[in-house]
Amino acid sequence: MRYPRGAVNLVLVVVLVALPVIGFSQRQNIYDWSKLRGYNPPASIAQLASATAMSDKARHIFYVNHPQLVGDTTTFRQDCTTNEQTIVLGCYHPTQQGIFVYDVQDQRLGGIEEVTSAHEMLHAAYDRLSSSDKTKVNKMLEDFYKNDLKDQRLLDTIEAYKKSEPNDVVNEMHSVFGTEVAGLPAPLEDYYKRYFNNRGAVVAFSQKYETEFTSRSAKAAQIEIQLKSLKAKIDSQEAGLKAQSERINAKRSQLDALRASGKIEEYNAGVAAYNADVDSYNNGVAIYKRDVNSYNDLIEQYNAVAGELKQLYGAIDTRLQTKTTR
Protein backbone atom coordinates (compact mmCIF):
# COMPACT_ATOMS: atom_id res chain seq x y z
CA MET A 1 0.00 0.00 0.00
CA ARG A 2 1.27 3.46 -0.89
CA TYR A 3 0.97 6.34 1.58
CA PRO A 4 0.72 9.98 0.75
CA ARG A 5 4.08 11.63 1.36
CA GLY A 6 2.55 13.97 3.89
CA ALA A 7 1.34 11.09 6.06
CA VAL A 8 4.83 9.60 6.23
CA ASN A 9 6.27 12.92 7.23
CA LEU A 10 3.66 13.28 9.95
CA VAL A 11 4.51 9.89 11.42
CA LEU A 12 8.20 10.75 11.38
CA VAL A 13 7.55 14.03 13.15
CA VAL A 14 5.50 12.28 15.85
CA VAL A 15 8.22 9.70 16.42
CA LEU A 16 10.99 12.30 16.55
CA VAL A 17 9.05 14.39 19.05
CA ALA A 18 8.02 11.45 21.23
CA LEU A 19 11.48 9.95 21.69
CA PRO A 20 13.00 12.91 23.57
CA VAL A 21 9.96 13.04 25.89
CA ILE A 22 10.33 9.36 26.78
CA GLY A 23 14.08 9.79 27.21
CA PHE A 24 13.65 12.69 29.62
CA SER A 25 11.12 10.88 31.81
CA GLN A 26 13.38 7.83 32.04
CA ARG A 27 16.67 9.68 32.31
CA GLN A 28 16.97 9.24 36.10
CA ASN A 29 16.20 5.52 35.86
CA ILE A 30 18.73 5.07 33.08
CA TYR A 31 21.35 6.99 35.06
CA ASP A 32 20.64 4.94 38.18
CA TRP A 33 20.87 1.70 36.24
CA SER A 34 24.25 2.69 34.85
CA LYS A 35 25.53 3.68 38.30
CA LEU A 36 24.29 0.51 40.00
CA ARG A 37 25.27 -1.89 37.25
CA GLY A 38 27.87 -4.17 38.75
CA TYR A 39 27.97 -2.16 42.01
CA ASN A 40 28.16 -4.09 45.26
CA PRO A 41 28.24 -1.84 48.32
CA PRO A 42 31.17 -2.51 50.67
CA ALA A 43 30.17 -4.22 53.90
CA SER A 44 30.75 -1.00 55.88
CA ILE A 45 28.40 0.94 53.60
CA ALA A 46 25.71 -1.75 53.65
CA GLN A 47 25.97 -1.77 57.45
CA LEU A 48 25.33 1.99 57.57
CA ALA A 49 22.20 1.54 55.46
CA SER A 50 20.98 -1.34 57.64
CA ALA A 51 21.76 0.35 60.96
CA THR A 52 19.72 3.42 59.99
CA ALA A 53 16.79 1.30 58.77
CA MET A 54 16.88 2.81 55.28
CA SER A 55 13.98 1.73 53.09
CA ASP A 56 14.60 0.10 49.72
CA LYS A 57 14.04 3.48 48.10
CA ALA A 58 16.58 5.13 50.38
CA ARG A 59 19.15 2.36 49.87
CA HIS A 60 18.72 2.80 46.12
CA ILE A 61 19.43 6.52 46.39
CA PHE A 62 22.30 5.92 48.82
CA TYR A 63 23.98 3.30 46.64
CA VAL A 64 23.53 5.28 43.41
CA ASN A 65 25.84 7.83 45.01
CA HIS A 66 28.53 5.19 45.71
CA PRO A 67 29.01 6.38 49.31
CA GLN A 68 32.51 6.27 50.74
CA LEU A 69 33.89 6.29 54.28
CA VAL A 70 37.03 8.43 54.29
CA GLY A 71 39.40 8.38 57.27
CA ASP A 72 42.15 10.70 56.09
CA THR A 73 41.34 14.34 56.81
CA THR A 74 43.18 15.78 53.82
CA THR A 75 41.54 13.36 51.41
CA PHE A 76 38.14 13.93 52.99
CA ARG A 77 38.37 17.69 52.61
CA GLN A 78 39.34 17.21 48.98
CA ASP A 79 36.19 15.12 48.53
CA CYS A 80 34.12 17.59 50.56
CA THR A 81 35.46 20.96 49.51
CA THR A 82 34.25 24.07 51.27
CA ASN A 83 35.42 27.65 51.56
CA GLU A 84 34.55 27.67 55.25
CA GLN A 85 36.94 26.48 57.92
CA THR A 86 34.21 24.53 59.67
CA ILE A 87 33.77 21.01 60.96
CA VAL A 88 32.29 18.97 58.13
CA LEU A 89 31.45 15.29 58.59
CA GLY A 90 29.88 14.48 55.27
CA CYS A 91 28.82 15.84 51.93
CA TYR A 92 26.58 15.08 49.00
CA HIS A 93 27.56 16.15 45.52
CA PRO A 94 24.45 17.44 43.68
CA THR A 95 22.80 15.55 40.83
CA GLN A 96 23.66 12.22 42.46
CA GLN A 97 27.40 12.60 41.99
CA GLY A 98 28.51 11.04 45.25
CA ILE A 99 28.28 10.86 49.05
CA PHE A 100 31.31 11.04 51.34
CA VAL A 101 31.29 10.40 55.09
CA TYR A 102 34.14 11.08 57.49
CA ASP A 103 35.26 7.93 59.30
CA VAL A 104 35.22 8.96 62.97
CA GLN A 105 37.51 6.73 65.03
CA ASP A 106 36.53 7.66 68.59
CA GLN A 107 34.39 4.78 69.88
CA ARG A 108 32.50 7.11 72.21
CA LEU A 109 30.97 8.71 69.13
CA GLY A 110 29.46 5.56 67.75
CA GLY A 111 26.44 6.46 65.62
CA ILE A 112 27.81 9.66 64.17
CA GLU A 113 28.68 8.00 60.84
CA GLU A 114 25.20 6.48 60.67
CA VAL A 115 23.51 9.84 61.21
CA THR A 116 25.82 11.55 58.71
CA SER A 117 25.09 8.88 56.10
CA ALA A 118 21.34 9.24 56.55
CA HIS A 119 21.68 13.03 56.50
CA GLU A 120 23.50 13.00 53.16
CA MET A 121 21.14 10.39 51.70
CA LEU A 122 18.26 12.76 52.48
CA HIS A 123 20.04 15.52 50.57
CA ALA A 124 20.16 13.20 47.55
CA ALA A 125 16.50 12.31 48.10
CA TYR A 126 15.54 15.99 48.29
CA ASP A 127 17.41 16.54 45.02
CA ARG A 128 15.10 14.02 43.36
CA LEU A 129 11.79 15.49 44.52
CA SER A 130 9.48 16.81 41.85
CA SER A 131 8.62 20.49 41.96
CA SER A 132 5.15 19.77 43.37
CA ASP A 133 6.53 17.37 46.00
CA LYS A 134 9.23 19.82 46.97
CA THR A 135 6.67 22.59 47.46
CA LYS A 136 4.61 20.38 49.79
CA VAL A 137 7.63 19.14 51.72
CA ASN A 138 9.08 22.63 52.07
CA LYS A 139 5.84 23.89 53.56
CA MET A 140 5.74 21.06 56.11
CA LEU A 141 9.37 21.68 57.09
CA GLU A 142 8.93 25.44 57.44
CA ASP A 143 5.71 25.05 59.43
CA PHE A 144 7.44 22.70 61.86
CA TYR A 145 10.42 25.04 62.18
CA LYS A 146 8.30 28.12 62.81
CA ASN A 147 5.69 26.58 65.10
CA ASP A 148 6.92 23.39 66.78
CA LEU A 149 10.71 23.20 66.94
CA LYS A 150 11.80 23.86 70.54
CA ASP A 151 15.24 22.23 70.69
CA GLN A 152 17.65 25.15 71.12
CA ARG A 153 20.58 23.21 69.67
CA LEU A 154 18.67 22.58 66.45
CA LEU A 155 17.38 26.15 66.37
CA ASP A 156 20.99 27.31 66.61
CA THR A 157 21.93 24.83 63.87
CA ILE A 158 19.33 26.27 61.51
CA GLU A 159 20.48 29.81 62.33
CA ALA A 160 24.02 28.78 61.43
CA TYR A 161 22.79 27.37 58.10
CA LYS A 162 21.06 30.67 57.39
CA LYS A 163 24.46 32.33 57.52
CA SER A 164 26.59 29.66 55.87
CA GLU A 165 24.12 28.28 53.30
CA PRO A 166 21.28 30.80 52.94
CA ASN A 167 20.06 29.26 49.68
CA ASP A 168 19.82 25.73 51.08
CA VAL A 169 18.26 26.22 54.51
CA VAL A 170 15.11 24.19 53.81
CA ASN A 171 17.22 21.49 52.16
CA GLU A 172 19.25 21.29 55.38
CA MET A 173 16.05 21.24 57.46
CA HIS A 174 14.98 18.24 55.38
CA SER A 175 18.10 16.31 56.45
CA VAL A 176 18.36 17.60 60.01
CA PHE A 177 14.73 17.08 61.01
CA GLY A 178 14.64 13.64 59.40
CA THR A 179 17.63 12.38 61.36
CA GLU A 180 17.66 14.32 64.62
CA VAL A 181 14.10 15.10 65.72
CA ALA A 182 12.34 12.34 67.65
CA GLY A 183 8.76 13.55 67.29
CA LEU A 184 7.53 15.16 64.08
CA PRO A 185 3.99 16.09 63.00
CA ALA A 186 2.14 13.16 61.45
CA PRO A 187 2.37 14.44 57.84
CA LEU A 188 6.17 14.74 58.10
CA GLU A 189 6.45 11.34 59.79
CA ASP A 190 4.43 9.84 56.93
CA TYR A 191 6.65 11.55 54.40
CA TYR A 192 9.89 10.23 55.94
CA LYS A 193 8.50 6.67 55.79
CA ARG A 194 9.57 6.81 52.16
CA TYR A 195 13.15 6.66 53.36
CA PHE A 196 13.13 4.89 56.74
CA ASN A 197 11.47 1.70 57.90
CA ASN A 198 12.14 2.90 61.44
CA ARG A 199 13.23 6.52 61.61
CA GLY A 200 13.63 6.17 65.37
CA ALA A 201 16.77 4.11 64.77
CA VAL A 202 18.73 6.97 63.23
CA VAL A 203 17.36 9.49 65.75
CA ALA A 204 18.56 7.20 68.56
CA PHE A 205 22.07 7.29 67.09
CA SER A 206 21.89 11.08 67.02
CA GLN A 207 20.77 11.27 70.64
CA LYS A 208 23.47 8.83 71.73
CA TYR A 209 26.45 10.71 70.38
CA GLU A 210 24.99 14.12 71.22
CA THR A 211 24.76 12.96 74.82
CA GLU A 212 28.52 12.40 74.83
CA PHE A 213 28.91 16.14 74.28
CA THR A 214 25.96 17.50 76.24
CA SER A 215 26.57 15.40 79.36
CA ARG A 216 30.17 16.55 79.59
CA SER A 217 29.27 20.15 78.84
CA ALA A 218 26.63 20.04 81.58
CA LYS A 219 29.10 18.51 84.01
CA ALA A 220 31.69 21.16 83.19
CA ALA A 221 29.09 23.90 83.71
CA GLN A 222 28.10 22.38 87.06
CA ILE A 223 31.73 22.25 88.18
CA GLU A 224 32.20 25.87 87.12
CA ILE A 225 29.32 26.88 89.40
CA GLN A 226 30.87 24.94 92.29
CA LEU A 227 34.26 26.50 91.63
CA LYS A 228 32.81 29.99 91.58
CA SER A 229 30.97 29.43 94.87
CA LEU A 230 33.95 27.80 96.57
CA LYS A 231 36.33 30.49 95.31
CA ALA A 232 34.14 33.17 96.87
CA LYS A 233 34.12 31.22 100.14
CA ILE A 234 37.91 30.80 100.10
CA ASP A 235 38.46 34.49 99.35
CA SER A 236 36.20 35.37 102.30
CA GLN A 237 38.06 32.91 104.51
CA GLU A 238 41.40 34.42 103.52
CA ALA A 239 40.20 37.90 104.40
CA GLY A 240 38.74 36.69 107.72
CA LEU A 241 41.87 34.76 108.68
CA LYS A 242 44.06 37.72 107.85
CA ALA A 243 41.98 40.03 110.07
CA GLN A 244 41.88 37.37 112.82
CA SER A 245 45.66 36.95 112.63
CA GLU A 246 46.15 40.69 112.98
CA ARG A 247 43.93 40.74 116.10
CA ILE A 248 45.77 37.81 117.62
CA ASN A 249 49.13 39.44 116.99
CA ALA A 250 47.86 42.64 118.59
CA LYS A 251 46.66 40.73 121.70
CA ARG A 252 49.98 38.90 121.85
CA SER A 253 51.79 42.22 121.88
CA GLN A 254 49.52 43.46 124.66
CA LEU A 255 50.10 40.33 126.75
CA ASP A 256 53.85 40.55 126.22
CA ALA A 257 53.75 44.17 127.35
CA LEU A 258 51.79 43.26 130.50
CA ARG A 259 54.20 40.52 131.41
CA ALA A 260 57.20 42.74 130.73
CA SER A 261 55.79 45.41 133.02
CA GLY A 262 55.14 42.91 135.81
CA LYS A 263 51.36 43.03 135.54
CA ILE A 264 51.08 39.27 135.90
CA GLU A 265 47.48 39.15 137.11
CA GLU A 266 46.29 41.16 134.10
CA TYR A 267 48.49 39.00 131.89
CA ASN A 268 47.04 35.78 133.26
CA ALA A 269 43.50 37.14 132.92
CA GLY A 270 44.05 37.70 129.20
CA VAL A 271 45.73 34.38 128.38
CA ALA A 272 42.54 32.28 128.23
CA ALA A 273 40.86 34.62 125.73
CA TYR A 274 44.06 34.76 123.68
CA ASN A 275 44.31 30.97 123.56
CA ALA A 276 40.65 30.72 122.54
CA ASP A 277 41.34 33.13 119.65
CA VAL A 278 44.34 31.06 118.59
CA ASP A 279 42.27 27.85 118.67
CA SER A 280 39.56 29.54 116.60
CA TYR A 281 42.16 30.74 114.11
CA ASN A 282 43.71 27.29 113.81
CA ASN A 283 40.27 25.75 113.23
CA GLY A 284 39.64 28.35 110.56
CA VAL A 285 42.97 27.53 108.90
CA ALA A 286 42.07 23.82 108.88
CA ILE A 287 38.71 24.55 107.21
CA TYR A 288 40.45 26.87 104.75
CA LYS A 289 42.98 24.17 103.81
CA ARG A 290 40.18 21.63 103.38
CA ASP A 291 38.28 23.98 101.09
CA VAL A 292 41.44 24.76 99.09
CA ASN A 293 41.99 21.03 98.60
CA SER A 294 38.36 20.66 97.49
CA TYR A 295 38.85 23.54 95.06
CA ASN A 296 41.96 21.92 93.62
CA ASP A 297 40.12 18.60 93.29
CA LEU A 298 37.35 20.38 91.37
CA ILE A 299 39.94 21.98 89.11
CA GLU A 300 41.28 18.52 88.31
CA GLN A 301 37.76 17.25 87.60
CA TYR A 302 37.04 20.24 85.37
CA ASN A 303 40.28 19.78 83.45
CA ALA A 304 39.51 16.09 82.98
CA VAL A 305 36.04 16.82 81.58
CA ALA A 306 37.41 19.64 79.43
CA GLY A 307 40.07 17.26 78.16
CA GLU A 308 37.45 14.69 77.22
CA LEU A 309 35.45 17.32 75.37
CA LYS A 310 38.58 18.44 73.55
CA GLN A 311 39.21 14.84 72.51
CA LEU A 312 35.65 14.40 71.27
CA TYR A 313 35.72 17.60 69.25
CA GLY A 314 39.16 16.69 67.97
CA ALA A 315 37.82 13.35 66.73
CA ILE A 316 35.34 15.14 64.45
CA ASP A 317 37.44 18.19 63.59
CA THR A 318 38.13 17.99 59.87
CA ARG A 319 39.46 21.53 59.57
CA LEU A 320 42.81 21.24 57.85
CA GLN A 321 44.48 24.19 59.55
CA THR A 322 44.10 22.62 62.98
CA LYS A 323 46.03 19.50 62.08
CA THR A 324 49.69 19.28 63.08
CA THR A 325 52.27 16.82 61.87
CA ARG A 326 54.07 14.63 64.36
Side-chain angles (χ1 to χ4, degrees):
M1 183 180 294
R2 298 178 64 184
Y3 292 93
R5 185 177 299 273
V8 175
N9 289 340
L10 177 61
V11 172
L12 287 175
V13 170
V14 170
V15 171
L16 290 173
V17 171
L19 283 175
V21 172
I22 294 172
F24 179 81
S25 66
Q26 296 298 321
R27 186 171 62 185
Q28 186 69 72
N29 290 335
I30 293 170
Y31 176 81
D32 289 357
W33 174 83
S34 68
K35 290 281 285 186
L36 292 175
R37 185 183 182 189
Y39 174 74
N40 290 309
S44 58
I45 296 301
Q47 175 58 29
L48 290 171
S50 296
T52 53
M54 288 187 191
S55 66
D56 289 342
K57 179 183 182 72
R59 283 175 185 260
H60 177 90
I61 296 171
F62 192 47
Y63 293 159
V64 162
N65 282 277
H66 290 199
Q68 296 181 40
L69 275 173
V70 185
D72 177 70
T73 304
T74 301
T75 302
F76 175 75
R77 286 310 285 250
Q78 290 171 350
D79 294 325
C80 294
T81 56
T82 176
N83 293 326
E84 295 181 66
Q85 294 300 326
T86 56
I87 294 176
V88 176
L89 295 177
C91 63
Y92 157 68
H93 289 227
T95 66
Q96 317 299 312
Q97 292 299 314
I99 286 174
F100 298 89
V101 176
Y102 187 61
D103 189 4
V104 178
Q105 297 298 311
D106 195 312
Q107 295 302 310
R108 293 169 295 183
L109 297 177
I112 200 166
E113 292 171 7
E114 285 81 357
V115 175
T116 303
S117 298
H119 179 107
E120 301 307 333
M121 177 277 294
L122 286 175
H123 279 313
Y126 186 83
D127 210 9
R128 288 169 175 252
L129 291 176
S130 67
S131 296
S132 58
D133 264 0
K134 193 169 290 187
T135 298
K136 294 176 184 177
V137 171
N138 287 355
K139 184 179 186 306
M140 288 190 291
L141 293 168
E142 289 172 339
D143 284 347
F144 174 72
Y145 169 64
K146 293 175 182 177
N147 301 313
D148 298 313
L149 182 61
K150 306 302 180 184
D151 188 319
Q152 190 57 50
R153 181 184 67 82
L154 294 182
L155 288 169
D156 292 341
T157 297
I158 301 304
E159 285 302 311
Y161 279 129
K162 288 180 180 180
K163 296 176 182 177
S164 64
E165 301 175 50
N167 297 323
D168 294 310
V169 175
V170 181
N171 190 338
E172 293 296 343
M173 287 182 187
H174 180 261
S175 287
V176 171
F177 297 166
T179 57
E180 299 184 47
V181 178
L184 290 170
L188 267 179
E189 289 288 6
D190 288 341
Y191 164 71
Y192 281 117
K193 287 178 181 177
R194 297 184 187 182
Y195 309 114
F196 300 105
N197 296 325
N198 175 19
R199 196 178 66 84
V202 68
V203 174
F205 279 125
S206 174
Q207 293 173 337
K208 177 181 178 297
Y209 77 75
E210 279 296 335
T211 298
E212 296 292 336
F213 291 98
T214 57
S215 63
R216 288 173 173 82
S217 295
K219 186 174 182 180
Q222 182 183 26
I223 294 174
E224 282 183 338
I225 293 172
Q226 291 176 279
L227 285 170
K228 184 177 180 180
S229 175
L230 193 51
K231 180 64 165 57
K233 181 181 178 182
I234 289 171
D235 289 344
S236 177
Q237 287 172 327
E238 285 182 345
L241 288 171
K242 181 180 179 181
Q244 195 173 5
S245 176
E246 291 173 352
R247 290 194 299 271
I248 289 172
N249 288 334
K251 283 188 177 182
R252 178 60 184 266
S253 297
Q254 291 172 357
L255 289 173
D256 288 345
L258 288 171
R259 186 170 60 179
S261 63
K263 298 179 180 179
I264 302 304
E265 289 185 5
E266 292 183 41
Y267 170 82
N268 289 335
V271 168
Y274 171 81
N275 288 338
D277 287 345
V278 170
D279 288 342
S280 175
Y281 175 81
N282 288 336
N283 288 335
V285 169
I287 294 172
Y288 170 80
K289 288 181 177 179
R290 183 197 65 193
D291 289 342
V292 168
N293 288 335
S294 296
Y295 184 85
N296 290 335
D297 288 343
L298 284 173
I299 288 290
E300 290 183 6
Q301 292 177 38
Y302 181 84
N303 287 339
V305 174
E308 291 176 4
L309 276 171
K310 184 177 180 181
Q311 290 173 355
L312 291 175
Y313 281 111
I316 62 172
D317 192 348
T318 58
R319 295 174 298 177
L320 295 178
Q321 85 278 13
T322 64
K323 302 297 178 180
T324 57
T325 56
R326 298 183 177 180

